[in-house]
Amino acid sequence: MNNSFGLYIHIPFCISKCYYCDYNSVLWEPSLVKEYLAALQEELKLLAAKYEHPRLKTIFIGGGTPSSLTGEQIYQLLLAVNKEFQVSTELEVSLEANPDTVNSNKLAILKEAGINRLSLGVQSFNNNYLQSLGRAHTRQEAIDSYYLAREIGFKNINLDLLFAVPGQSLADWELTLKRAVQLRPEHLSTYSLEIVPGTVFELLLEKGSLDLVSEQLDRQLYERAIELFLAAGYEHYEICSFARPNYSSEHNQLYWQGQPYLALGAGVHFFDGEVRGRNVNSLSSYLSYLEQGKLPLDKVEVLTMEDKIVAKMILGLNLRDGISLVEFAQEFDKELTDLYSQEITKLKQLGLIKINDNRIALSRQGLLMANDVLAEFIL
């Protein structure tokens, strides 16, 4: 059994629900928060016992809006993690935060608790787009929260940015990109907006009230982000992620490299090296399981060799360095180029992948059609 993992902790609470969000989240309510945090601590003990108090490689607290909790609540949660798992002082400990939910006191407590990587959900530096997305903060609040985190001493900050927002133009997007670069964060993440079921945006789309950007413009927006960030000295190390040298997200790379990670909270997914699974999604079911002293598992599956190969391809090709042909052969006792000979021939002819120095990776054109390319590698 593996004894070294990343750890993801899900905090499902939000002050308000963004119009595009389908994450497992609920509105913040004090008594429910208290119940949930107690359940998290119980799940933490059960997981630690199951995996014999393993060593952690990274910790990532996501949501929802983790920063909707008080600084003290996050402090106590991390104390519990430190008690049940083996945690080194050099560990990357990330926390997602919304600009409207942080202040100097909370940030100081978070830093003291061991948070050393802050991911700010900025999304845009345009107030009109922030409002249309249902975000609770303003452009100025995003900028102020960034500088406040710097004053408190955070030396590793990510900014999340969202493009293909309804009505967005290339010029609009460039203003957000340039403002982000001016702030000089260590890491930048860019995501294309998707209209997903169960969201306010889906309802607006059905009513014909959304001015969606074209597929062509979507690609232009993404390409412009790549151009500006590379010019500013960022490394494009993953499809959606850019970092200054030595500031790539260690936790996210665990996912893309297919390394094992555990997860706490309602609706989370995990992979322990052999078994892939997820927790129950419903908060009430999650709380009920843990009140009974049971892990809140919804689905668990032992991966077949085919599952592992497909996961290796789909995840590994998200990284700009791609996949080592040598390491693939060592891991699976199969040659990648033999297993996927037809797919590789087709994709190379289309200019969507490249093979150099015994590595297979997406080409620049392949990045723009990543979903289509990755689908080719499902056995």
Side-chain angles (χ1 to χ4, degrees):
M1 181 184 289
N2 282 294
N3 200 43
S4 184
F5 303 90
L7 177 66
Y8 173 76
I9 304 174
H10 186 67
I11 305 298
F13 304 105
C14 289
I15 305 303
S16 61
K17 188 88 167 177
C18 297
Y19 301 156
Y20 55 90
C21 177
D22 71 333
Y23 291 163
N24 187 28
S25 62
V26 297
L27 292 181
W28 185 90
E29 197 276 312
S31 62
L32 187 56
V33 169
K34 186 176 179 180
E35 282 186 76
Y36 185 80
L37 291 176
L40 272 184
Q41 296 220 16
E42 179 63 24
E43 187 183 10
L44 184 60
K45 292 174 185 175
L46 292 173
L47 268 188
K50 178 178 179 179
Y51 292 98
E52 301 175 352
H53 304 277
R55 182 177 71 86
L56 294 185
K57 296 179 178 179
T58 60
I59 300 172
F60 193 104
I61 307 175
T65 309
S67 55
S68 65
L69 300 182
T70 67
E72 183 62 27
Q73 286 171 329
I74 295 169
Y75 190 99
Q76 291 301 321
L77 178 58
L78 285 172
L79 274 182
V81 172
N82 277 268
K83 181 180 178 182
E84 299 295 341
F85 291 87
Q86 299 176 50
V87 180
S88 75
T89 54
E90 292 80 31
L91 205 68
E92 178 191 270
V93 185
S94 303
L95 179 120
E96 291 181 338
N98 280 356
D100 56 299
T101 60
V102 295
N103 54 42
S104 58
N105 181 59
K106 183 181 288 189
L107 287 169
I109 295 173
L110 294 178
K111 189 169 185 299
E112 185 182 348
I115 304 295
N116 52 30
R117 183 175 183 273
L118 198 65
S119 182
L120 290 173
V122 171
Q123 313 311 345
S124 176
F125 288 107
N126 181 307
N127 282 335
N128 291 331
Y129 292 132
L130 288 172
Q131 187 174 15
S132 72
L133 291 167
R135 300 294 291 175
H137 69 271
T138 65
R139 171 186 185 275
Q140 193 57 49
E141 283 176 320
I143 295 168
D144 290 346
S145 66
Y146 174 84
Y147 283 124
L148 189 57
R150 287 296 197 211
E151 289 174 17
I152 296 299
F154 283 94
K155 294 182 171 60
N156 190 355
I157 299 177
N158 168 63
L159 302 183
D160 276 345
L161 303 174
L162 193 64
F163 65 92
V165 176
Q168 189 175 45
S169 69
L170 183 58
D172 294 331
W173 177 230
E174 282 185 342
L175 291 174
T176 280
L177 294 173
K178 289 175 180 177
R179 189 66 186 99
V181 166
Q182 287 170 359
L183 292 173
R184 296 184 60 79
E186 285 69 33
H187 193 282
L188 288 156
S189 299
T190 60
Y191 303 99
S192 175
L193 176 71
E194 293 183 34
I195 309 300
V196 290
T199 62
V200 172
F201 271 179
E202 183 195 33
L203 295 175
L204 293 175
L205 183 62
E206 290 174 353
K207 293 178 180 178
S209 303
L210 276 189
D211 179 19
L212 296 182
V213 305
S214 66
E215 188 174 317
Q216 180 183 11
L217 178 55
D218 187 303
R219 291 178 182 177
Q220 289 175 340
L221 298 170
Y222 178 51
E223 284 188 288
R224 191 63 180 130
I226 295 173
E227 292 166 359
L228 282 175
F229 291 162
L230 291 180
Y234 289 89
E235 297 173 348
H236 189 192
Y237 73 95
E238 184 265 322
I239 289 178
C240 301
S241 301
F242 305 79
R244 296 201 177 281
N246 303 315
Y247 282 99
S248 301
S249 168
E250 295 175 23
H251 184 82
N252 287 345
Q253 286 187 94
L254 290 180
Y255 298 149
W256 305 129
Q257 293 167 359
Q259 296 186 45
Y261 62 94
L262 304 178
L264 298 167
V268 295
H269 293 248
F270 65 88
F271 169 60
D272 69 5
E274 294 298 327
V275 172
R276 180 170 59 196
R278 66 170 183 253
N279 280 357
V280 292
N281 210 52
S282 154
L283 245 65
S284 59
S285 296
Y286 174 79
L287 296 173
S288 177
Y289 268 91
L290 288 158
E291 282 173 8
Q292 301 170 56
K294 299 177 183 177
L295 283 171
L297 299 174
D298 179 41
K299 182 180 180 182
V300 175
E301 58 179 329
V302 177
L303 299 188
T304 65
M305 180 64 73
E306 184 176 297
D307 291 332
K308 291 179 180 180
I309 289 172
V310 170
K312 181 77 172 182
M313 298 303 298
I314 301 300
L315 296 173
L317 287 175
N318 274 268
L319 292 169
R320 295 296 288 117
D321 287 343
I323 299 166
S324 164
L325 302 182
V326 174
E327 291 175 7
F328 185 96
Q330 291 172 342
E331 184 174 351
F332 299 110
D333 197 27
K334 299 176 186 291
E335 295 294 334
L336 189 156
T337 48
D338 291 340
L339 193 60
Y340 287 106
S341 59
Q342 292 182 355
E343 292 82 359
I344 288 171
T345 299
K346 172 185 172 181
L347 293 169
K348 282 185 72 175
Q349 288 175 346
L350 294 171
L352 300 177
I353 60 169
K354 55 186 180 181
I355 298 181
N356 297 315
D357 301 322
N358 273 319
R359 301 190 73 88
I360 180 172
L362 297 180
S363 67
R364 179 66 176 265
Q365 185 63 26
L367 281 174
L368 305 179
M369 301 176 63
N371 289 339
D372 294 330
V373 176
L374 298 179
E376 293 285 336
F377 292 98
I378 297 174
L379 291 170

